Amino acid sequence: MLRTGLLVLIMAVASCYGLYGPGDDVIVLTPSNFHKTVIESNELWLVEFYAPWCGHCKALTPEWKKAATALKGVVKVGAVDADEHRGLGGQYGVQGFPTIKVFGADKFKPTDYQGPRQAQGIVESALSAASTMVKSRLSGGKSSGGGKRSGGSGGNKEDVIELTDANFESEVLNSEDMWLVEFYAPWCGHCKNLAPHWASAATELKGKVKLGALDATVHSVMASRYQVQGFPTIKMFPAGKKGSDVVDYDGGRTSSDIVNWALDKLAENVPPPEVVQLTEQSVLSSACDDHQLCIVSVLPHILDCQSECRNKYLKTLTLMGNKYKKQMWGWVWAEAGQQLELEQTLDIGGFGYPALAAVNSRKLKFSLMRGSFSEAGINEFLRSKLGETSFGQWCYDNCCYILSQCNILRLSIVKTRRDNLLICKLKLETLADLRASLLAIVPPMAFD
């Protein structure tokens, strides 16, 4: 029997939209505009990293808007949907919501905002920070603009592999890894601007994609072979055996642009996922733990659906796995009745078999497919239904959740005692944290 003690799923019903829009004085920031808008600016910035489903973020929203309006023309106020743009939040160590950062004199070293959460307090704190920055400039301190300097941006230049005519073949061409190679010239201004982003991307992609740099003014053999005519020139060498299929890089020049482009190309070359039968916990862990999304199907029992029927369903899952292979999801299936705790956890079975659910183990949420178990039905579900939040089981303080059975609580108790649970106000890192938090607000006898 599958041990669901390791499968704790919490779903928070979230808005499909961010908390700020074009009509607000709060500037919406994304990976595509963050560096140019914030890092390369000379203004003081207050940036909120939020999640649309976060109750505290929703409470802060009207105050943040008021502060942005009051500070207009004096201090910039922005917001990042860090639930959608997790990579951007990760660059600045965002682990909870809302997190507010102050980007002042040194844009590469923002400070944590620890002030009030009301508009008046936010404005006063911002003006104080602006005054400090102005005084620093008067005394000869750093300018607030930071985007043009070398270094910074969180990367380690040691993660960029130095390439030469002598080692290029052994390092790149004989490698099974995917490579991004920058051909540069030491005197090139654009190359100098790219350097910190290249280092940051190399650090973030470590273990997935290798990034190298070759001084084309010294090592002209390789530069000539790959027809380098300007600087910087970036080439992609795909994973596996290297041939003539070298691709010109055509993405942006920020670290996030480079990372996203590289991961997209890496995903294009991955083989279709295997649809694995779920028989025990180790299978679930192996198939799902390292993937952002896991597609879990429960197929009719073999006695209710003969081999031809079973194979038809598996073929459909295999086709869908191939269609969405670039997402690098995990795919598992179980026979109806064999993993009852899992079925109850995901609320599978109420609509008959076959059934399918998409589980996001990183965000601790899942969604159950209500449509037909067919190529068209599954495709529609995966394409458009994952962002919807219409399947909460119980709610408290505007947050709706589903918790699985596990070793320390029973699903029925969670449902009946919902008014005593304040899960949406707790930060749950591990199963032990969940147990400790629940024991603090639910009598121990509830776990018998």
Side-chain angles (χ1 to χ4, degrees):
M1 181 62 67
L2 184 65
R3 294 174 56 202
T4 56
L6 297 180
L7 184 63
V8 178
L9 300 168
I10 304 177
M11 189 288 294
V13 172
S15 169
C16 294
Y17 306 97
L19 301 181
Y20 306 96
D24 300 319
D25 290 320
V26 176
I27 300 171
V28 177
L29 300 168
T30 67
S32 63
N33 71 1
F34 194 90
H35 189 87
K36 184 174 182 61
T37 305
V38 178
I39 302 303
E40 293 186 3
S41 74
N42 289 314
E43 294 90 357
L44 177 76
W45 276 83
L46 293 185
V47 178
E48 175 200 3
F49 294 84
Y50 72 91
W53 46 260
C54 162
H56 291 300
C57 303
K58 293 176 181 178
L60 175 64
T61 298
E63 301 299 319
W64 199 243
K65 290 180 179 179
K66 290 178 186 177
T69 299
L71 291 167
K72 194 171 183 179
V74 181
V75 173
K76 297 284 189 179
V77 178
V80 175
D81 182 345
D83 189 48
E84 179 180 357
H85 306 297
R86 289 176 297 156
L88 183 55
Q91 290 182 33
Y92 296 102
V94 174
Q95 297 181 336
F97 305 113
T99 292
I100 301 174
K101 298 282 185 178
V102 181
F103 291 79
D106 188 347
K107 291 296 193 295
F108 290 103
K109 293 181 180 179
T111 58
D112 291 325
Y113 173 82
Q114 303 291 354
R117 299 299 175 95
Q118 290 76 38
Q120 182 66 35
I122 295 168
V123 169
E124 291 175 356
S125 297
L127 293 177
S128 175
S131 176
T132 300
M133 189 171 75
V134 170
K135 291 177 181 178
S136 175
R137 290 178 181 175
L138 283 173
S139 62
K142 294 180 179 180
S143 170
S144 70
K148 300 302 183 181
R149 67 175 189 171
S150 60
S153 85
N156 184 353
K157 65 180 182 179
E158 300 299 325
D159 292 329
V160 177
I161 300 170
E162 183 178 354
L163 298 171
T164 66
D165 284 340
N167 70 4
F168 196 92
E169 185 169 347
S170 60
E171 290 281 357
V172 180
L173 301 183
N174 292 338
S175 168
E176 291 294 316
D177 298 307
M178 174 179 158
W179 277 80
L180 285 181
V181 177
E182 175 201 3
F183 296 84
Y184 71 95
W187 45 260
C188 163
H190 291 302
C191 303
K192 293 176 182 178
N193 290 338
L194 177 64
H197 298 284
W198 198 246
S200 180
T203 298
E204 190 168 347
L205 289 167
K206 195 171 184 178
K208 300 176 182 178
V209 178
K210 290 187 175 181
L211 269 68
L214 182 142
D215 184 345
T217 65
V218 175
H219 306 287
S220 57
V221 174
M222 287 301 165
S224 176
R225 176 186 296 186
Y226 294 105
Q227 301 177 345
V228 174
Q229 298 179 338
F231 306 113
T233 292
I234 302 172
K235 302 279 186 178
M236 188 275 283
F237 296 79
K241 186 177 180 180
K242 306 296 189 290
S244 58
D245 51 347
V246 180
V247 177
D248 289 327
Y249 175 83
D250 58 1
R253 297 300 174 93
T254 67
S255 58
S256 59
D257 291 333
I258 296 165
V259 169
N260 291 333
W261 191 94
L263 292 178
D264 284 344
K265 293 299 180 183
L266 181 65
E268 289 178 1
N269 295 292
V270 298
E274 181 181 2
V275 183
V276 184
Q277 184 174 5
L278 186 56
T279 55
E280 57 185 20
Q281 175 64 36
S282 61
V283 176
L284 180 66
S285 298
S286 176
C288 297
D289 283 358
D290 294 331
H291 300 279
Q292 181 181 7
L293 208 65
C294 193
I295 310 304
V296 180
S297 300
V298 179
L299 304 183
H301 194 280
I302 192 67
L303 296 179
D304 299 322
C305 177
Q306 302 303 313
S307 59
E308 182 177 354
C309 170
R310 168 77 59 80
N311 290 335
K312 178 183 177 181
Y313 290 135
L314 289 175
K315 182 179 179 181
T316 298
L317 291 174
T318 299
L319 288 172
M320 288 295 99
N322 185 53
K323 179 179 180 65
Y324 287 92
K325 69 175 185 177
K326 290 176 61 177
Q327 306 300 326
M328 293 191 284
W329 295 336
W331 293 72
V332 298
W333 70 277
E335 187 175 65
Q338 298 303 303
Q339 307 296 342
L340 292 177
E341 289 179 304
L342 176 66
E343 291 186 38
Q344 185 175 5
T345 296
L346 299 180
D347 200 23
I348 284 178
F351 293 87
Y353 303 103
L356 182 145
V359 180
N360 189 323
S361 59
R362 296 178 185 176
K363 292 186 178 181
L364 300 177
K365 64 171 69 171
F366 69 87
S367 176
L368 182 63
M369 184 178 75
R370 307 292 185 182
S372 65
F373 197 97
S374 62
E375 288 184 44
I378 296 174
N379 181 59
E380 179 65 19
F381 169 71
L382 295 178
R383 185 173 59 86
S384 64
K385 297 298 183 182
L386 295 180
E388 295 182 4
T389 54
S390 58
F391 44 90
Q393 291 295 304
W394 58 269
C395 300
Y396 183 90
D397 194 22
N398 296 322
C399 297
C400 295
Y401 296 89
I402 296 173
L403 281 78
S404 74
Q405 286 191 5
C406 62
N407 291 338
I408 61 168
L409 69 136
R410 300 179 186 278
L411 187 62
S412 59
I413 293 176
V414 173
K415 288 181 177 179
T416 58
R417 301 187 64 86
R418 60 185 179 273
D419 290 335
N420 292 334
L421 297 178
L422 304 176
I423 305 300
C424 65
K425 295 185 180 298
L426 301 173
K427 181 180 180 182
L428 306 177
E429 297 288 349
T430 66
L431 190 62
D433 292 336
L434 174 62
R435 185 178 194 278
S437 299
L438 288 174
L439 286 175
I441 51 180
V442 180
M445 70 182 67
F447 298 99
D448 295 340

